[in-house]
């Protein structure tokens, strides 16, 4: 579809799932960005799939999967989206792709939908983040932006809403071919006060392809943060960004950098990096992580009618953090 102007804005009232619309083109700019489908929402650049945004009914939250890096290889974990994937061991986790979740909001766990909890978490109820639809798509020059809305619900009683969020995602390519995905998430207390508990797991997170984790058997990932802390020293520390790099399945040196915007609550974020490739930025876990903090130091109350905004940038790049210029990339991002 050729357009006679530089950008389009499409207001979409789609609620997932909608049968029979998988090939619907929601917007495009010639050979650039285009968006198709309903669940998942398929995002293309030219004729190549870049990523899918899933409603995540079975996983308990919306997520991106796959995410094709600059080398043309998926950079997030296949399982459980693709059973029996080469080089990935069996596990129960529904954590895959890239997502936002919190492990304690008013006593509900919006992180782990399996209900398989540690003894310290056994009394927590399960929450689900239900994608409600899209608020619009804008394709302008080299970027595509789309907006969504979600309800945070009690899984056992999904008519009971705990809070909601509004999300804005922007995708573009850097000159070096790196893929950038920006998130602005507004968490809204619109069903009463919400208390976000002090938990190490939570926030904007990703589960990387097998070679990139640090702890998983056979993995050869390498982590570094803004302060220069590397590998096992970087998780559990505050930093403006964290990068993990290694060799993908095709033999390419690739990496993923996650950036925490300076405007975020309690910037710089604490970084979680667990077994099997999950890592992310968390603003609510320092009582659970930092020995100098009290047990509930990370707790945050958002009064009814108020909101909290989070901004993150994720860069899928070739080479390591130095080769990809992640330090300079953060300086540019932090000025916006």
């Amino acid at each position: 579809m050729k357009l006679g102007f530089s950008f389009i804005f499409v207001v979409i009232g789609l609620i997932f799932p909608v049968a029979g619309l998988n090939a619907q083109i929601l917007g495009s700019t010639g050979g650039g960005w285009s968006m198709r489908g309903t669940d998942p929402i398929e995002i293309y650049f030219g004729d190549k799939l870049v990523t899918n945004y899933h409603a995540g009914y079975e996983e308990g939250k919306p997520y991106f999967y796959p995410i094709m890096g600059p080398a043309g290889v998926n950079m997030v974990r296949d399982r459980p989206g693709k059973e029996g994937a080469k080089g990935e061991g069996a596990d129960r986790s529904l954590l895959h792709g890239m997502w936002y979740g919190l492990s304690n909001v008013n006593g509900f766990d919006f992180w782990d939908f399996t209900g398989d909890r540690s003894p310290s978490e056994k009394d927590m109820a399960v929450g689900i983040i239900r994608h409600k639809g899209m608020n619009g798509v804008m394709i302008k020059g080299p970027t595509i932006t789309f907006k969504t809305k979600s309800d945070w619900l009690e899984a056992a009683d999904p008519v009971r809403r705990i809070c909601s969020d509004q999300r804005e995602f922007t995708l573009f390519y850097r000159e070096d071919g790196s893929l950038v995905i920006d998130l602005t998430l507004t968490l809204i207390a619109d069903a009463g006060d919400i208390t976000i508990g002090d938990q190490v797991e939570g926030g904007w997170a990703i589960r990387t392809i097998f070679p990139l984790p640090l702890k998983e058997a056979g993995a050869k990932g390498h982590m570094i943060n803004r302060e220069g802390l590397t590998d096992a020293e970087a998780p559990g520390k505050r930093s403006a960004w964290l990068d993990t790099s290694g060799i993908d399945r095709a033999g390419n040196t690739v990496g993923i950098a996650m950036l925490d915007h300076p405007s975020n609550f309690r910037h710089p974020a604490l970084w979680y990096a667990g077994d099997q490739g999950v890592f992310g930025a968390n603003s609510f876990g320092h009582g659970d992580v930092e020995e100098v903090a009290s047990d509930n130091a990370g707790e945050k109350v958002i009064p009814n009618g108020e909101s909290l905004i989070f901004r993150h940038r994720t860069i899928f790049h070739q080479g390591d953090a130095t080769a990809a210029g992640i330090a300079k990339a953060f300086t540019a991002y932090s000025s916006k």
Side-chain angles (χ1 to χ4, degrees):
M1 178 171 59
K2 295 183 179 180
L3 301 176
F5 43 89
S6 61
F7 70 93
I8 64 172
F9 190 84
V10 184
V11 177
I12 303 169
L14 297 178
I15 304 296
F16 289 107
V18 180
L21 295 180
N22 288 336
Q24 180 181 10
I25 298 177
L26 305 181
S28 68
T29 54
W33 291 102
S34 65
M35 182 176 285
R36 312 168 188 175
T38 56
D39 188 12
I41 299 172
E42 302 170 347
I43 302 174
Y44 284 79
F45 191 84
D47 60 355
K48 295 182 179 180
L49 177 69
V50 176
T51 187
N52 291 335
Y53 187 72
H54 299 257
Y57 286 145
E58 294 184 0
E59 295 79 8
K61 64 182 75 67
Y63 62 95
F64 286 97
Y65 168 85
I67 302 175
M68 308 305 292
V73 178
N74 175 31
M75 294 185 67
V76 293
R77 188 65 62 98
D78 280 328
R79 287 186 48 83
K82 189 175 182 181
E83 294 298 328
K86 182 179 179 180
E88 297 183 9
D91 63 79
R92 57 148 189 94
S93 178
L94 292 179
L95 301 176
H96 70 298
M98 187 166 65
W99 72 94
Y100 189 90
L102 294 170
S103 53
N104 186 350
V105 180
N106 286 6
F108 291 89
D109 185 351
F110 293 95
W111 176 266
D112 189 347
F113 188 52
T114 64
D116 184 7
R117 314 213 186 300
S118 67
S120 64
E121 300 170 333
K122 64 181 180 180
D123 295 329
M124 293 183 63
V126 179
I128 54 175
I129 303 175
R130 181 60 52 84
H131 173 85
K132 298 297 292 181
M134 293 183 65
N135 288 335
V137 180
M138 182 173 70
I139 301 172
K140 184 176 182 179
T143 69
I144 181 170
T145 298
F146 68 100
K147 299 180 180 181
T148 71
K149 52 186 177 181
S150 309
D151 282 344
W152 295 45
L153 309 168
E154 179 180 350
D157 183 15
V159 299
R160 181 186 176 192
R161 184 161 51 85
I162 309 301
C163 61
S164 68
D165 73 54
Q166 295 178 355
R167 307 175 184 205
E168 179 177 302
F169 298 103
T170 297
L171 287 72
F172 62 94
Y173 284 101
R174 303 194 313 178
E175 290 184 0
D176 65 357
S178 299
L179 171 67
V180 178
I181 300 180
D182 282 350
L183 165 69
T184 299
L185 185 144
T186 304
L187 188 63
I188 307 167
D190 53 3
D193 296 352
I194 59 173
T195 300
I196 303 172
D198 190 319
Q199 298 282 337
V200 63
E201 295 178 328
W204 183 233
I206 194 168
R207 192 175 186 200
T208 67
I209 54 175
F210 170 71
L212 299 188
L214 291 177
K215 298 182 180 180
E216 193 169 7
K220 298 180 180 179
H222 173 64
M223 281 189 175
I224 187 169
N225 66 10
R226 188 187 190 189
E227 290 69 32
L229 297 176
T230 60
D231 298 336
E233 297 178 336
K237 302 296 194 302
R238 292 183 177 275
S239 188
W241 55 264
L242 181 66
D243 184 277
T244 183
S245 61
I247 308 298
D248 69 14
R249 296 186 184 106
N252 306 297
T253 300
V254 296
I256 303 171
M258 302 187 80
L259 284 59
D260 185 63
H261 196 273
S263 65
N264 285 345
F265 178 64
R266 291 191 185 131
H267 173 83
L270 271 172
W271 292 90
Y272 169 79
D275 295 345
Q276 300 172 334
V278 177
F279 83 95
N282 182 12
S283 299
F284 305 105
H286 63 280
D288 199 19
V289 176
E290 296 176 312
E291 295 180 359
V292 298
S294 62
D295 289 346
N296 296 319
E299 186 175 284
K300 169 66 176 176
V301 176
I302 305 178
N304 185 45
E306 298 187 13
S307 60
L308 199 58
I309 298 175
F310 295 96
R311 296 176 62 191
H312 296 281
R313 171 167 289 181
T314 308
I315 303 173
F316 301 85
H317 59 83
Q318 296 201 68
D320 61 13
T322 300
I326 299 304
K328 290 182 178 179
F330 175 76
T331 300
Y333 178 58
S334 65
S335 65
K336 297 181 179 180

